[in-house]
Amino acid sequence: HVQLVESGGGSVQPGGSLTLSCVASGYTLNRGCMGWFRQGPGKDRERVATIQTGDGSPYYYDSAKGRFTISRDLAKNTVYLQMSDLEPEDTAMFYCALLPREVFPGPCRPEPNEYRYWGQGTQVTVS
């Protein structure tokens, strides 16, 4: 039974930083693709970043470039999203999602409907 649990959200002032964590259980993250998504109030779900969990290759969508860093710690079976210089427009529920299969080396960019497992989300509020 695979579960993803996000944590690390909270309330910060503009310009602040947060690091989100996504801990996986029931699946070893040495292969696959993990993505971070967010959904702000009244907005559609948006892709933020992905990481090829085997080789650690990151990919950033426009919403994250330059301010967010995705990483993983295989020993802790955890993927992180470090966020800096946060803006009110970053206010959203952040979710991690897992594509649990072998993927090609290098950055992975699955379509949202390819992810099989989703976490419950962690709220980030910037104000």
Side-chain angles (χ1 to χ4, degrees):
H1 180 57
V2 178
Q3 283 191 313
L4 304 177
V5 179
E6 303 97 333
S7 63
S11 296
V12 295
Q13 294 183 341
S17 301
L18 283 173
T19 296
L20 307 183
S21 300
C22 175
V23 180
S25 60
Y27 183 83
T28 301
L29 290 179
N30 59 358
R31 63 175 186 168
C33 183
M34 186 80 86
W36 281 100
F37 293 76
R38 68 182 184 184
Q39 187 165 18
K43 297 180 181 180
D44 293 333
R45 185 178 59 191
E46 181 180 35
R47 290 180 282 192
V48 176
T50 69
I51 189 164
Q52 208 269 38
T53 56
D55 65 18
S57 296
Y59 182 84
Y60 300 99
Y61 295 91
D62 288 345
S63 60
K65 287 180 180 176
R67 298 186 298 127
F68 295 178
T69 302
I70 191 170
S71 62
R72 93 279 193 241
D73 184 335
L74 295 181
K76 296 182 179 179
N77 223 37
T78 300
V79 170
Y80 303 97
L81 186 68
Q82 296 174 271
M83 306 186 294
S84 62
D85 196 21
L86 286 163
E87 305 166 349
E89 292 72 25
D90 295 314
T91 294
M93 185 72 80
F94 281 73
Y95 301 89
C96 60
L98 175 65
L99 173 63
R101 62 170 173 80
E102 196 73 48
V103 295
F104 290 113
C108 52
R109 290 182 286 171
E111 293 298 320
N113 61 7
E114 293 184 79
Y115 291 93
R116 183 169 179 183
Y117 300 101
W118 292 77
Q120 83 291 346
T122 186
Q123 177 68 39
V124 172
T125 302
V126 185
S127 65

